[in-house]
Amino acid sequence: VLLIDGEPDGGVSALDRGLHYGDGLFETLAVRDRRPLLLDRHLSRLQAGCARLGIEAPATAVLRREIEVVAATRELGVVKILFTRGRGGRGYAPPEGGRPTRIVLDYPWPDYPRDRTDRGVRVRMCATRLACNPRLAGLKHLNRLEQVLARSEWTDPEVAEGLMLDLEGAVVEGTMSNLFVVGGGRLLTPDLSRCGVAGVMRGLVLDLAHELGLPAAQTRVEAQDLDRASELFLSNSLIGLWPVRRLEERALEPGPVCRRLQAELRARGVLAVP
Ligand SMILES: Cc1ncc(COP(=O)(O)O)c(C=O)c1O
């Protein structure tokens, strides 16, 4: 199902600023039993992103309803929302009184091998770096060329994800996921004040860590911190948590912190494939 501004199979203008400038935001939600998961968190991130970009935020009740309608077509699947600043003329200046464009569509569930959650995944380091821009940092905006280039670096289906560094060499995230590092008895995740996407699953994991009394911090992570880590794992809204079992040539084991958090996510019913 595809809804554009609420219209089934509606169209998008060739003048849409999402297309011209990537001037907009997106969300990707997991669907289980015809229900979108973590909907409130996704809607809040979208609202917060609109505020930062100066895009008029969507009427939450309307968007929520549209997401539910699209999700209801899938037992297990994915709903994607694109929200752009809408049509514009030539030139970067945002038009006055512009009306945002709202797109809601569904996809089949990605056929990730089932054992990734249990056995863990192989991960590589990407050569493509992330640019630093605090004004865009954390946003799930529509400019994703860095991820496109990074993901083009490998085709081996055995490699599930690639980690990306920023221009100064700090480790930021995966091409489609956030990173957690367990070291020195603490759960660490890269600080995203200069670049990266503040994932919904990352936010939930940090909240859970707090609730469970696991010491956790958002901090600068260097490549050496990965060498010293006792556990590494990846998060996103679709995969939940994937432990890393190999980073380049280094072998790791899924560890107790990841297992604990996976169990908690499962118990809370927020994973599409528990
Ligand atoms: C670049 C990037 N970082 C992080 C994430 C994780 O975000 P979320 O937990 O909201 O799915 C994604 C998800 O697609 C992503 O594309």
Side-chain angles (χ1 to χ4, degrees):
V1 182
L2 167 66
L3 295 178
I4 299 180
D5 295 330
E7 293 292 322
D9 299 315
V12 176
S13 167
L15 299 179
D16 197 282
R17 291 173 60 96
L19 196 56
H20 288 256
Y21 309 127
D23 190 358
L25 298 157
F26 71 109
E27 293 291 332
T28 308
L29 295 81
V31 173
R32 194 189 66 205
D33 299 334
R34 306 187 185 275
R35 305 278 307 162
L37 301 178
L38 297 171
L39 179 54
D40 288 337
R41 284 181 186 259
H42 285 285
L43 288 172
S44 318
R45 178 173 60 185
L46 183 60
Q47 298 276 344
C50 285
R52 281 181 60 188
L53 293 179
I55 296 176
E56 191 188 326
T60 306
V62 173
L63 184 56
R64 179 185 289 275
R65 182 77 202 117
E66 290 173 0
I67 294 166
E68 286 168 352
V69 164
V70 173
T73 64
R74 296 259 177 200
E75 204 67 55
L76 178 69
V78 176
V79 169
K80 184 166 180 180
I81 305 159
L82 291 103
F83 196 76
T84 81
R85 199 182 302 272
R87 287 172 55 135
R90 223 198 59 76
Y92 293 124
E96 274 188 41
R99 201 167 48 83
T101 304
R102 199 169 72 245
I103 302 174
V104 183
L105 73 165
D106 65 311
Y107 294 88
W109 184 253
D111 54 354
Y112 298 127
R114 290 266 172 162
D115 66 352
R116 288 188 175 182
T117 307
D118 297 328
R119 270 189 70 220
V121 294
R122 264 184 64 190
V123 172
R124 72 194 298 282
M125 297 304 297
C126 293
T128 308
R129 300 284 183 109
L130 292 165
C132 297
N133 187 339
R135 286 204 64 186
L136 295 177
L139 293 174
K140 202 162 165 98
H141 58 65
L142 288 173
N143 299 234
R144 301 266 66 107
L145 280 174
E146 293 168 328
Q147 285 74 21
V148 171
L149 293 180
R151 187 60 190 83
S152 312
E153 289 181 25
W154 83 96
T155 51
D156 180 353
E158 293 299 310
V159 176
E161 178 61 308
L163 297 183
M164 299 186 72
L165 310 179
D166 70 15
L167 286 170
E168 291 177 356
V171 184
V172 181
E173 61 180 356
T175 63
M176 57 153 198
S177 61
N178 291 115
L179 173 69
F180 287 89
V181 179
V182 180
R186 287 204 308 166
L187 176 62
L188 305 176
T189 190
D191 165 71
L192 301 181
S193 55
R194 289 150 35 85
C195 54
V197 173
V200 157
M201 190 56 73
R202 173 182 182 273
L204 176 57
V205 166
L206 288 171
D207 289 349
L208 286 180
H210 184 74
E211 277 180 45
L212 299 173
L214 298 172
Q218 305 177 50
T219 180
R220 185 180 168 91
V221 173
E222 309 279 350
Q224 304 89 279
D225 298 321
L226 304 183
D227 299 336
R228 287 192 288 260
S230 58
E231 294 183 41
L232 297 175
F233 54 92
L234 304 169
S235 72
N236 87 16
S237 297
L238 303 186
I239 68 178
L241 301 181
W242 281 348
V244 176
R245 68 174 162 81
R246 197 168 128 192
L247 172 62
E248 296 284 348
E249 298 312 315
R250 181 178 172 216
L252 293 109
E253 296 281 333
V257 176
C258 182
R259 292 300 188 221
R260 177 87 202 273
L261 290 163
Q262 283 179 325
E264 201 61 34
L265 292 169
R266 224 171 260 137
R268 290 177 191 230
V270 297
L271 299 179
V273 182

